[in-house]
Amino acid sequence: MQLIQENPDLSAYLAVDEAIDHHHPLVRAVSARLAADVHDSYEYARAAFEYVRDRVTHSQDADDPRVTWRASDVLEQGTGICYAKAHALAALLRAEDIPTALCYQHLGVVHGLVAVRFHGAWHRQDPRGNKPGVDARFSLDGERLAFTPDPAQGETDHPVLYAAPHPAVLRALRSAADRAHLWRTLPTAL
């Protein structure tokens, strides 16, 4: 699949916004801690991915009713659904000047992931969190995502790389009183 930058200006994929608040002290502290243990940006990106995938629970898997959406809140509370975890990973990567986009799949509902830019190309990553039947891994040598869309079921990959969270995603996250409410209002299209 050919990935398409929504914004041709690569600096847009390093920007701070309300959801990807990589200027926040907590995001900076986690970023500095992860960066201290690695030698280059590739190792850092892998460490950040594994941190979000493994240390931030997917709120559905953990049966956690909280809804988070801002990267700093996701890191502070240690939970979030796919969109929130993607926001946290994007913030950690952008904090270390790694261009990061938000991207989506349609799997009956919209599923959120990120794409990182290395060696002149975008590489999608899914920090959703592993569980039985899900084995997402950081990779620049072919995708190791949590899910593969099934075209026979009407599932698709969206090729657009967004610099900021899609408005439908933010609207669903912000308006949800809890995860049960969010599950009833997840976007089904972008």
Side-chain angles (χ1 to χ4, degrees), residues 88-157:
L89 179 56
L92 289 173
L93 294 170
R94 289 181 183 186
E96 292 296 318
D97 294 321
I98 298 171
T100 307
L102 296 161
C103 47
Y104 303 94
Q105 295 176 311
H106 179 266
L107 306 170
V109 294
V110 175
H111 174 62
L113 29 133
V114 304
V116 296
R117 183 128 176 128
F118 277 103
H119 311 300
W122 289 100
H123 307 273
R124 294 190 309 164
Q125 313 295 327
D126 191 342
R128 181 229 178 268
N130 290 337
K131 63 179 187 172
V134 175
D135 185 26
R137 296 179 185 254
F138 184 84
S139 176
L140 302 183
D141 300 320
E143 294 184 337
R144 299 289 308 269
L145 305 178
F147 307 107
T148 301
D150 180 356
Q153 298 294 318
E155 298 177 346
T156 59
D157 283 310

Side-chain angles (χ1 to χ4, degrees), residues 18-22 27 69-76 84 87-88 91:
E18 192 175 10
I20 303 171
D21 57 343
H22 62 81
V27 176
W69 59 272
R70 185 177 287 119
S72 57
D73 293 337
V74 173
L75 295 174
E76 178 185 8
H87 299 169

